[in-house]
Amino acid sequence: WWQENLRLDDRDEAHRAMAELFAVGHVQHEYRFRRKDGAELWILDVMRLIHDDAGAPVQAVGAWSDITSRKRAEEALRLRSASLEAVANAVTITDAKGRIEWVNTAFTDLTGYALEECIGRRPRDVVRREGYDESFFEAIWATIRAGDV
């Protein structure tokens, strides 16, 4: 019943997880599962073996959690991230204090700074070399604070 309702391309991973369960005594894995009504869900399956006094496995106990919403949110974030990475315009994401948390490839190509060099710095510290004065950065922050693009 369980195997028949696993998504076909998740079966090998699920079988690997079962082998891991018997090798180490516990496992946690995710797979897609078809419900009785045909709906497909993402399941987080957490299992542990129970052993007898001689150390032989006698029972497997576990719990399933429906993580479909989380998986959909992760996929939406991956899509958005890929989109931001692919745009031709430089994109910078900062925290509320103006410290860079992420920049896309167009930004690193434009400035010559690697992502790792940008994180934690302010955009004006990275692009100041390009000749922008303080009023340029004040205008950017005024725009952001106003909720404008």
Side-chain angles (χ1 to χ4, degrees):
W1 168 84
W2 172 76
Q3 182 170 303
E4 289 174 6
N5 288 292
L6 284 174
R7 184 170 168 150
L8 186 59
D9 50 347
D10 289 344
R11 287 183 184 173
D12 287 346
E13 175 61 22
H15 289 191
R16 186 211 52 77
M18 292 301 290
E20 182 180 339
L21 172 66
F22 284 94
V24 298
H26 56 88
V27 70
Q28 175 177 311
H29 64 114
E30 301 171 357
Y31 53 85
R32 287 159 292 187
F33 188 81
R34 187 178 56 251
R35 292 186 339 183
K36 180 180 178 181
D37 65 4
E40 185 176 89
L41 303 175
W42 271 100
I43 300 294
L44 171 63
D45 191 356
V46 179
M47 296 189 308
R48 179 171 299 280
L49 283 180
I50 305 297
H51 297 85
D52 63 16
D53 292 339
V58 293
Q59 187 176 19
V61 295
W64 286 4
S65 299
D66 180 353
I67 58 170
T68 306
S69 294
R70 186 194 88 199
K71 290 299 232 179
R72 287 181 183 148
E74 288 172 354
E75 182 57 31
L77 285 173
R78 269 191 294 280
L79 178 61
R80 288 183 185 116
S81 178
S83 298
L84 286 172
E85 189 62 49
V87 297
N89 297 328
V91 176
T92 306
I93 297 177
T94 68
D95 64 15
K97 294 181 180 180
R99 304 253 180 231
I100 295 173
E101 294 183 344
W102 181 84
V103 298
N104 69 349
T105 301
F107 184 93
T108 61
D109 290 347
L110 178 70
T111 65
Y113 285 94
L115 170 64
E116 297 76 24
E117 294 176 289
C118 295
I119 293 176
R121 298 177 77 179
R122 295 175 186 264
R124 66 176 160 211
D125 297 336
V126 178
V127 296
R128 183 173 290 288
R129 293 181 180 182
E130 303 297 322
Y132 296 104
D133 63 15
E134 193 64 31
S135 65
F136 172 78
F137 298 101
E138 289 170 6
I140 289 174
W141 280 105
T143 301
I144 292 169
R145 284 189 205 103
D148 295 330
V149 177

